[in-house]
Amino acid sequence: MAMQPVSTLLRERDVDGGGEPHAKTRDDWRKAKELEEARKAGTAPAAVDEEGKDINPHIPQYIASAPWYFGSRGPTLKHQRVQPETLPSYSGITEWYKRGVDVNKIATKYRKGACENCGALTHKRKDCLERPRKIGAKYSGAMIAPDEHVQPNLNLDFDGKRDRWNGYDPSEHHRVIEEYEKIEEAKRQLKGERLRKDMLEGKITKVCFPSCEILTLSSEGTIVFVFCTQDDIDEEEDEDKYVDDVDMPGTKVDSKQRITVRNLRIREDTAKYLRNLDPNSAYYDPKTRSMRDNPYVNTGKNAEEADYSGENFVRFTGDTQSHAKAQLFAWEASNRGVDVHVLAEPTKLELLKSEYEKKKDEFKTKVKQSILDQYGGEEHLDAPPKSLLLAQSEDYVEYSRHGKIVKGQEKEVIRSQYEEDVFINNHTTVWGSYWKDGQWGYKCCHSFVKNSYCTGSKGRALEGSSEVLALGSVASSTHGNTDPKKENTKGKEGKKQEQKKKKNRKKKDDQEDSNSDTSDSDTSDSSSSDSSSSDSEDEEAIKKKKLEQALIREEMMQAQADNLLSMEERKRPYNSMYEAKAPTEEELEAYFMKRKRAEDPMADFCK
């Protein structure tokens, strides 16, 4: 049982009828435990605090139980919440420092401790802002200044410290409104006086005022006021929509005539920055919401086919340039005293422009003809171009800051120091365009002989015949074997075979001389058997020798492969000129003899 103060115990005893507090029995503890388990299981209703809110039964007891000094009368969680007395109190939104002085209480005589200069009680003489008097209020006792307000100690919260309009009096804005109303009234009066003066002089016969009145001048010279309709006023106000008096770009612009165009888009349209997600594509300016370049410039899509090709495409295509030129012509004409507007009078502007262009061309031709008549030299104007006379040409190419061509044609780039796509001997393809069986050739005729004459489709048709194969073998023996080492080895082997044949012939002659008494049949049989046995022995010796050479080459290749594998990967050489050909029988046998068999348990003991 939690300890409670004596006052609480006495109060409970009085409420219960004067009985002593009883200790909980075993049954009471068991019932409380069962009730707690039932509340956790959800079969019994949760405990309710003094405010009628349910208490979560899964909250631990050391959190839910209130201390004895809290004075709780039942289950509660108030002791876990922020107490009201600990919350900081902030100043209200209407509280602010008082300005000025307190004129409600004005002293009539000097008070002790007040300012010796002005007599105010809220500051001293050294802090007084009033002009120093010849005789201070302390000695004169007259003209006592009112006291300043005692400023409150404001405790502002986070928003109150950063409020721009904190302490602003809305009644001060009425003075601004009244000032502008006076200005507008003065403008209306000046405008009315000017219109009346113009009507009396006969310049204007009808005009609309904002008060829906029409000033007309009668035949007798008197002014008649007539109420007009709203349509008449709207017609007069429509004239103000056109910006006639706006100066040229780059000059001064009146703030009252400035036009603001918001570059907004419909929400269903695709945003400009989502058309091409490549970061190197057209630049999008988020401040002005503009993308001047074409976002599909590197995607292969034409500008005419795309639904959006940048603002520069819209600005410099179609009738945009002609409209800009017409606007420029209207501005220049208005500066020279011609009253014309590009939107209000487009037909008049077009006629003036065409007439101006016609007179301009006539003036240029007239000046040119006068110079030719005076100085001559008309025959030099009909001369051929300089590219034909001097065998030279000047190509003007203009690039953008990104390196792209804006104007002119780019000079063709030479991609190699050798001549490309040069066909010789009636060939339509170059040497090396065809590959078969480890040999290069021409694709047009399937010929493997370099600098040969092209046979066209007939050469391709006869590619598999015996004649072509024979020619190919001859050509390969003459032109294809470009390796001098192979030619030397083949020549040496042929010489050795010829020497062996000569020795065999000498042996045969010796045997024939020694065995001259034998019969012709016996001699013929023996000579044939000797020749066949000698030929087989020669072939076996050649094969054995080739096998030994293949084994030596295989060992060298394996040693070279192990050396490359032991090197660092970045330092390995690049074999770009490796010869690709089918291996011979001796090379295959040498490979199988020298092949490492990892599955053989005795492989480590063999050399």
Side-chain angles (χ1 to χ4, degrees):
M1 181 179 179
M3 295 186 65
Q4 296 180 356
V6 179
S7 60
T8 305
L9 295 175
L10 293 174
R11 194 183 303 112
E12 290 178 355
R13 185 186 64 179
D14 295 340
V15 172
D16 295 339
E20 296 292 335
H22 301 285
K24 285 187 177 181
T25 60
R26 188 185 299 273
D27 293 337
D28 295 339
W29 285 106
R30 182 176 54 78
K31 290 179 181 179
K33 190 69 175 176
E34 289 177 356
L35 180 60
E36 183 182 356
E37 294 295 335
R39 286 174 176 173
K40 290 183 179 180
T43 56
V48 181
D49 59 359
E50 62 272 7
E51 296 179 358
K53 298 179 180 179
D54 293 340
I55 299 176
N56 192 349
H58 298 283
I59 296 176
Q61 186 179 3
Y62 72 93
I63 295 177
S65 60
W68 63 270
Y69 53 82
F70 190 74
S72 61
R73 302 286 297 181
T76 182
L77 291 176
K78 272 190 174 182
H79 59 282
Q80 294 292 345
R81 299 186 178 94
V82 180
Q83 303 305 317
E85 58 270 11
T86 60
L87 291 174
S89 60
Y90 297 106
S91 302
I93 193 172
T94 57
E95 298 180 17
W96 194 244
Y97 301 103
K98 296 179 181 179
R99 295 184 175 90
V101 293
D102 190 6
V103 296
N104 295 327
K105 298 178 182 180
I106 300 176
T108 56
K109 63 179 181 177
Y110 180 78
R111 294 160 292 178
K112 186 178 180 181
C115 178
E116 298 178 358
N117 184 39
C118 65
L121 195 63
T122 52
H123 62 269
K124 298 296 181 181
R125 182 173 184 176
K126 64 178 182 178
D127 298 328
C128 186
L129 300 178
E130 190 176 333
R131 181 180 62 84
R133 301 182 183 180
K134 189 175 183 180
I135 301 174
K138 181 179 179 180
Y139 304 103
S140 64
M143 298 294 293
I144 303 298
D147 300 337
E148 291 91 352
H149 289 289
V150 178
Q151 301 296 341
N153 186 14
L154 299 180
N155 185 19
L156 301 176
D157 57 355
F158 183 86
D159 294 329
K161 293 176 182 178
R162 291 158 180 81
D163 189 5
R164 292 177 56 205
W165 301 98
N166 197 355
Y168 177 75
D169 188 6
S171 60
E172 296 179 1
H173 188 63
H174 290 291
R175 290 184 293 176
V176 180
I177 296 175
E178 292 175 359
E179 182 181 356
Y180 275 93
E181 287 179 352
K182 291 178 181 178
I183 295 173
E184 293 295 331
E185 184 66 24
K187 286 183 178 179
R188 283 195 293 269
Q189 292 178 1
L190 291 174
K191 185 177 181 180
E193 291 177 0
R194 186 173 66 252
L195 292 175
R196 288 187 182 93
K197 183 178 179 181
D198 293 341
M199 291 179 66
L200 292 173
E201 293 177 356
K203 296 181 181 179
I204 300 175
T205 59
K206 179 181 177 181
V207 67
C208 287
F209 284 100
S211 58
C212 295
E213 293 180 353
I214 294 181
L215 262 175
T216 58
L217 189 65
S218 63
S219 59
E220 292 82 5
T222 60
I223 299 174
V224 181
F225 293 89
V226 183
F227 285 94
C228 66
T229 61
Q230 187 66 27
D231 296 337
D232 298 333
I233 299 173
D234 294 339
E235 291 178 0
E236 297 291 336
E237 289 180 352
D238 287 341
E239 297 179 359
D240 297 334
K241 294 182 181 179
Y242 300 108
V243 190
D244 294 330
D245 299 330
V246 175
D247 295 331
M248 292 285 291
T251 60
K252 61 181 181 65
V253 179
D254 190 3
S255 61
K256 296 179 181 178
Q257 296 175 340
R258 187 173 298 145
I259 298 176
T260 302
V261 180
R262 299 186 182 274
N263 188 9
L264 301 178
R265 66 176 178 87
I266 305 174
R267 292 292 142 185
E268 288 77 9
D269 294 345
T270 306
K272 299 175 184 178
Y273 52 84
L274 295 178
R275 295 185 178 273
N276 191 353
L277 301 179
D278 186 8
N280 297 324
S281 62
Y283 173 72
Y284 175 74
D285 186 10
K287 185 175 182 180
T288 58
R289 297 180 180 178
S290 60
M291 181 179 286
R292 308 191 187 283
D293 296 335
N294 184 10
Y296 305 106
V297 66
N298 295 324
T299 58
K301 186 183 292 186
N302 294 331
E304 293 80 5
E305 299 176 358
D307 54 350
Y308 178 78
S309 302
E311 296 177 0
N312 288 342
F313 180 81
V314 179
R315 188 175 300 172
F316 301 112
T317 54
D319 294 336
T320 310
Q321 293 181 348
S322 60
H323 178 73
K325 292 178 180 178
Q327 181 68 66
L328 183 62
F329 177 78
W331 282 336
E332 293 177 351
S334 62
N335 291 335
R336 288 172 172 80
V338 180
D339 188 13
V340 63
H341 196 277
V342 68
L343 299 178
E345 300 169 324
T347 308
K348 179 180 178 182
L349 178 67
E350 192 66 27
L351 291 174
L352 287 174
K353 187 180 177 183
S354 60
E355 185 178 356
Y356 171 76
E357 294 291 341
K358 184 178 179 181
K359 290 183 178 180
K360 185 178 179 181
D361 294 339
E362 291 177 357
F363 177 74
K364 284 185 177 180
T365 53
K366 185 177 180 181
V367 171
K368 183 179 178 181
Q369 189 64 33
S370 63
I371 293 173
L372 292 176
D373 294 341
Q374 185 175 359
Y375 299 101
E378 187 175 359
E379 64 277 2
H380 299 289
L381 299 177
D382 300 331
K386 293 183 179 180
S387 58
L388 297 178
L389 293 175
L390 306 175
Q392 295 178 357
S393 62
E394 294 181 0
D395 297 330
Y396 176 76
V397 182
E398 186 175 344
Y399 295 89
S400 66
R401 60 179 180 178
H402 301 293
K404 298 179 182 179
I405 299 176
V406 178
K407 193 175 182 181
Q409 186 176 4
E410 189 177 13
K411 188 177 180 180
E412 186 177 358
V413 180
I414 300 175
R415 303 184 181 276
S416 175
Q417 61 178 342
Y418 304 101
E419 294 181 348
E420 297 182 0
D421 298 333
V422 178
F423 308 115
I424 59 173
N425 295 336
N426 201 28
H427 286 286
T428 57
T429 57
V430 296
W431 166 259
S433 59
Y434 183 66
W435 166 268
K436 186 177 181 182
D437 297 336
Q439 291 180 338
W440 293 104
Y442 295 98
K443 188 177 181 180
C444 54
C445 59
H446 292 185
S447 174
F448 299 104
V449 182
K450 193 173 183 180
N451 298 330
S452 63
Y453 194 80
C454 182
T455 56
S457 59
K458 293 183 179 179
R460 294 195 299 269
L462 297 175
E463 182 183 2
S465 63
S466 59
E467 295 177 0
V468 174
L469 290 175
L471 289 172
S473 62
V474 173
S476 62
S477 63
T478 57
H479 299 281
N481 297 329
T482 58
D483 194 356
K485 295 182 179 179
K486 294 181 181 179
E487 294 178 357
N488 295 332
T489 53
K490 289 182 179 180
K492 292 179 181 179
E493 290 177 359
K495 290 180 180 179
K496 290 181 179 179
Q497 290 179 1
E498 290 177 359
Q499 291 177 0
K500 288 182 179 180
K501 287 180 180 181
K502 288 180 180 179
K503 290 181 180 180
N504 293 332
R505 288 175 184 173
K506 287 182 180 180
K507 289 180 181 180
K508 290 177 185 178
D509 294 337
D510 295 339
Q511 288 177 359
E512 287 176 356
D513 293 339
S514 60
N515 298 326
S516 58
D517 296 336
T518 58
S519 61
D520 296 334
S521 61
D522 294 338
T523 55
S524 61
D525 295 336
S526 62
S527 63
S528 61
S529 61
D530 292 338
S531 62
S532 61
S533 61
S534 62
D535 292 339
S536 61
E537 288 176 0
D538 294 341
E539 291 178 359
E540 290 178 359
I542 293 170
K543 286 183 179 181
K544 188 175 181 181
K545 192 169 184 180
K546 288 183 179 180
L547 181 59
E548 291 177 357
Q549 294 176 357
L551 288 171
I552 294 171
R553 288 196 300 270
E554 185 66 25
E555 290 178 357
M556 293 174 63
M557 288 176 64
Q558 288 184 1
Q560 186 179 3
D562 294 339
N563 187 21
L564 291 174
L565 291 174
S566 62
M567 293 173 62
E568 191 178 353
E569 185 176 358
R570 291 178 294 180
K571 295 182 179 180
R572 292 178 187 173
Y574 180 70
N575 299 325
S576 60
M577 302 299 292
Y578 189 79
E579 185 180 5
K581 65 176 183 177
T584 60
E585 295 181 0
E586 290 79 9
E587 290 177 351
L588 287 173
E589 188 174 358
Y591 168 73
F592 288 118
M593 290 174 66
K594 294 291 183 180
R595 185 181 60 177
K596 293 182 179 180
R597 295 173 176 82
E599 68 277 3
D600 190 1
M602 300 297 292
D604 296 336
F605 300 94
C606 298
K607 292 184 180 181

